[in-house]
Amino acid sequence: MDDKRLTALLTGSTDLSKASLATRILVSRLRIEVRAKPDSLPAKLEELKAFIAKNAFAGIDLANA
Amino acid sequence: MKNHLLSLSDTVALIAAGHPLSIAGPEALLAQLPRGTWIGGTTVYALTENGGARIDDRLFVTQFPEATGATIRHLPTEALDTLAQGYAPGGVSLVLIPAFSSAHSAFAMDGMGYPGLFDQPLMGWVTGVPVEEISTTAPAVYDGATGLRHSDGALLMHLALPEGSSTSLDIVNIFTQSNDPATTFCFPRTGFTATEVSVGGKTVNLARYITEKGLDTRLPLVANYAGALINVSIRAVDAEKGEVSFFAPVVEGAVYHLANPLADYAAAFAAQIGEGGGGTHSCNCILNYLYGDLAGQKTGKFIGPVTFGEIAYILLNQTLVKLDIATA
């Protein structure tokens, strides 16, 4: 997934009901952190990308979102 | 996985058989178990095949015959952030934490940010005591590998699974968000207690607001985590002091809605979980047991300990947590 799509995911409120619980909670935490500190977006984006790279299920979760 | 409600002697025999076990039950029985590959936590309540019950003379045992290895670790509170370092690749991890301990508080406040936490299913529960002993008895966890009892820290069992196994960790939340602006709350800071809260853009004292509005404090506050409904239960409202305490932290930046009322908790569970649950490792909340009057009532095939907080990666309240393992 490209940065643009992941950024939209972190700054939006897309429902991830079909995703794994791990992905739902992690993305929710990152969204809350980005809302609280918008300048943290690049760091949170990197954290999400690292999570996807480490956990194939997360990439599948988000590709289907 | 296999779930059993066993006598002490039958549990001893199962420990001798060698499969990894997660054991819930009264402290008097846990303290008599021999060393082995097991972790234990105190509670005297369980949802059994015959319905909710006190289990003062029995132990609720979940057996993990699928596991190819098990490592048990006790982490003190200051080392909780290393929790995921023990994850066996492709496996699952179980965690038990005593209620009202420093580890309980630290895990609830900081757990969501621990490195690697979400890299594999982390399922567990907060151990408790009989409700009449809450102020006099400390909940505990038992490390079967060492035979040690702990009243603080987190006890972990990291399970290795055969290659090709699939796992699933999820929750069943019988509550829904009311979406009434008058009961929609945003908190200015994360914590187990709150004084001020924003309701419809106006800051009010939460304790006095709850009292004045006559809100039902048996209903949880429910946040939507990208499609996962996450509850925070109200522990106490002190209108005089102007403070509300919770069984899990409210999170700054999350939007909470008071849950819609429920007439029948057992029916609500049955409607959500249907015929599933056989062979699943699960736990359910003491508040559901008490407020829903689940003693003697069946909640489908999801049987397991009744707990003082549920863990599915993070601390949850008034929620059923379920872990499934399928081997190739």
Side-chain angles (χ1 to χ4, degrees):
Chain A
M1 293 180 72
D2 61 25
D3 286 9
K4 188 178 174 184
R5 192 162 167 204
L6 292 176
T7 297
L9 196 70
L10 290 181
T11 55
S13 57
T14 305
D15 187 284
L16 302 175
S17 291
K18 291 180 181 172
S20 65
L21 184 64
T23 300
R24 281 179 279 168
I25 297 175
L26 177 71
V27 168
S28 191
R29 170 173 71 79
L30 295 173
R31 283 175 174 171
I32 289 170
E33 290 169 349
V34 168
R35 275 203 304 271
K37 289 185 182 174
D39 60 359
S40 70
L41 178 59
K44 302 307 171 188
L45 180 61
E46 288 308 310
E47 186 176 343
L48 181 58
K49 287 164 67 178
F51 181 67
I52 294 168
K54 196 173 177 187
N55 297 286
F57 68 84
I60 296 167
D61 282 344
L62 298 177
N64 293 330
Chain B
M1 287 167 284
K2 295 178 183 173
N3 294 308
H4 314 268
L5 188 61
L6 299 177
S7 66
L8 177 65
S9 58
D10 286 344
T11 305
V12 170
L14 205 53
I15 290 171
H19 289 307
L21 306 175
S22 176
I23 305 175
E27 173 134 30
L29 299 188
L30 290 172
Q32 296 180 59
L33 293 174
R35 288 169 66 168
T37 311
W38 61 273
I39 57 173
T42 53
T43 180
V44 297
Y45 308 98
L47 296 175
T48 74
E49 290 176 349
N50 297 319
R54 271 190 75 136
I55 54 167
D56 293 284
D57 60 350
R58 287 167 293 169
L59 293 156
F60 194 97
V61 182
T62 303
Q63 185 181 358
F64 294 88
E66 308 89 343
T68 55
T71 304
I72 296 172
R73 293 195 300 156
H74 177 261
L75 290 180
T77 301
E78 60 273 19
L80 284 179
D81 61 350
T82 67
L83 186 156
Q85 291 178 12
Y87 285 2
V92 297
S93 291
L94 310 177
V95 60
L96 301 176
I97 299 176
F100 319 123
S101 64
S102 70
H104 182 193
S105 176
F107 180 82
M109 293 289 285
D110 305 325
M112 209 169 357
Y114 291 163
L117 184 88
F118 297 98
D119 290 347
Q120 71 174 221
L122 174 71
M123 187 272 188
W125 49 281
V126 175
T127 69
V129 294
V131 291
E132 68 274 15
E133 296 178 22
I134 282 176
S135 58
T136 57
T137 305
V141 297
Y142 279 80
D143 179 345
T146 63
L148 293 176
R149 173 194 189 278
H150 302 276
S151 57
D152 207 341
L155 185 61
L156 289 141
M157 179 184 271
H158 303 291
L159 296 171
L161 297 172
E163 196 172 333
S165 297
S166 64
T167 58
S168 170
L169 175 62
D170 211 340
I171 60 175
V172 176
N173 187 348
I174 56 174
F175 294 97
T176 54
Q177 295 179 308
S178 60
N179 294 317
D180 178 350
T183 53
T184 299
F185 305 103
C186 296
F187 293 89
R189 62 191 61 83
T190 298
F192 274 94
T193 61
T195 52
E196 308 305 308
V197 69
S198 174
V199 184
K202 184 180 172 188
T203 298
V204 300
N205 178 273
L206 180 60
R208 295 186 191 109
Y209 189 82
I210 287 173
T211 305
E212 287 163 12
K213 296 280 184 186
L215 301 182
D216 185 350
T217 56
R218 294 172 303 174
L219 298 173
L221 303 180
V222 187
N224 188 332
Y225 277 34
L229 294 182
I230 303 295
N231 297 337
V232 170
S233 300
I234 297 170
R235 184 175 182 183
V237 177
D238 187 336
E240 194 171 319
K241 192 177 172 186
E243 184 176 277
V244 177
S245 57
F246 306 98
F247 283 106
V250 289
V251 174
E252 177 186 356
V255 179
Y256 292 90
H257 300 266
L258 190 68
N260 286 310
L262 272 178
D264 186 335
Y265 284 48
F269 275 115
Q272 278 213 34
I273 61 187
E275 291 301 306
T280 296
H281 183 38
S282 69
C283 62
N284 204 335
C285 182
I286 184 70
L287 298 180
N288 286 340
Y289 183 89
L290 296 173
Y291 298 160
D293 198 19
L294 295 182
Q297 293 201 66
K298 294 183 182 178
T299 53
K301 293 180 181 172
F302 287 97
I303 57 174
V306 170
T307 61
F308 282 55
E310 302 71 60
I311 296 170
Y313 303 104
I314 61 173
L315 179 66
L316 306 167
N317 292 156
Q318 284 179 266
T319 300
L320 184 155
V321 172
K322 57 193 182 90
L323 172 68
D324 286 293
I325 299 172
T327 52

